[in-house]
Amino acid sequence: MSSAWNASDVTPDGAAWLASAGTYPRSTLALWEERPDAPVVLPCGSVFDVVSAPAMFGRRMLDRLWDDGPGSGPVAQFRGRMLLFAAPGTAHRLPALLEWEEWGGRDSREASRTDAVPPLLCHGTGDAVTVPAPSKSASLSVPAPSESVFPAAPAPSESSSPAAPTRSDSISPATSPPAGDTVPARSASRWLVAPDTRQPWLPGPEVLLWAAVRAARSAVRISIFPPADQDAKVYDVSRRR
């Protein structure tokens, strides 16, 4: 039986899965118990990798995954970028797959299938990302996590693999404001597809390559006037692998 799920709802099981990525899962859960509107910084590489795309292109990838593909893992929005949670190892493999697609396009004297794919930042082992709070109120204005309650995650390493050359205006998802500050609405993080289980399905590099290529192809057919209610989209998780 098909069921629709509000993408912004984080379940207790989903919160436990997120917390398991950190060094101190109980501290993370205790923080969220006390302050459900607080985002935290978690390391990538063991429980999940993250592929960061510009917001508009990330939305197109998400639509391709749900409309034509297997669905997605958790997806968050942070400071104008879309964070697609992926299987560990994706950050290492995806850039190589995108490079291969570009090489294949040039070799056949045809336009590369990845020409229209903007820079994708791949965060894996040694990197960290800001994880949105479980509470929906985080989409408006959220206090930054207290460093005294939640230990800082390791800063992103220089070995982080971008799937394309990093532009100077890119923002590392691992950046967080000083403790006690409030994140303004325009830079607040929030869930678009929130984790709802302790073992969510996560797309691998091949699936995300497929979504990126199709999102690039669809870009030329998209109207310059976006739908009026983009953020209200609900995804049917019964279709997800």
Side-chain angles (χ1 to χ4, degrees):
M1 180 170 128
S2 175
S3 64
W5 169 55
N6 191 316
S8 63
D9 290 330
V10 178
T11 66
D13 282 347
W17 172 73
L18 287 169
S20 70
T23 307
Y24 304 98
R26 292 183 181 178
S27 296
T28 304
L29 292 175
L31 170 63
W32 276 336
E33 183 70 25
E34 181 180 350
R35 298 169 59 190
D37 59 351
V40 299
V41 178
L42 292 176
C44 303
S46 59
V47 175
F48 53 75
D49 281 1
V50 170
V51 174
S52 171
M56 289 296 293
F57 189 80
R59 173 72 71 170
R60 291 169 190 159
M61 288 182 63
L62 189 57
D63 286 343
R64 296 286 71 74
L65 286 167
W66 284 98
D67 294 343
D68 308 318
S72 72
V75 180
Q77 191 168 10
F78 183 78
R79 294 187 177 180
R81 295 190 71 87
M82 199 81 74
L83 308 182
L84 294 96
F85 285 66
T90 298
H92 174 73
R93 183 85 177 112
L94 182 59
L97 292 178
L98 281 166
E99 265 187 47
W100 176 260
E101 289 289 339
E102 288 185 358
W103 180 86
R106 290 195 300 268
D107 186 60
S108 61
R109 297 184 181 180
E110 297 176 356
S112 169
R113 295 201 299 168
T114 59
D115 278 348
V117 176
L120 303 179
L121 306 181
C122 297
H123 302 278
T125 303
D127 302 324
V129 294
T130 297
V131 173
S135 171
K136 294 179 186 178
S137 64
S139 63
L140 301 177
S141 179
V142 294
S146 171
E147 294 181 358
S148 61
V149 178
F150 181 73
S157 68
E158 294 181 357
S159 62
S160 176
S161 304
T166 304
R167 297 183 299 183
S168 60
D169 59 347
S170 297
I171 299 176
S172 171
T175 303
S176 60
D181 282 3
T182 299
V183 180
R186 63 181 176 82
S187 63
S189 58
R190 63 193 179 95
W191 291 105
L192 297 181
V193 179
D196 62 339
T197 173
R198 287 178 182 267
Q199 294 182 324
W201 177 78
L202 297 172
E206 293 83 3
V207 172
L208 291 179
L209 173 68
W210 174 89
V213 169
R214 278 155 183 76
R217 287 176 176 174
S218 69
V220 296
R221 300 192 299 269
I222 294 178
S223 168
I224 62 173
F225 301 103
D229 200 14
Q230 277 189 337
D231 292 340
K233 187 161 186 176
V234 174
Y235 300 95
D236 179 6
V237 296
S238 65
R239 293 182 54 248
R240 183 167 55 188
R241 287 182 184 173

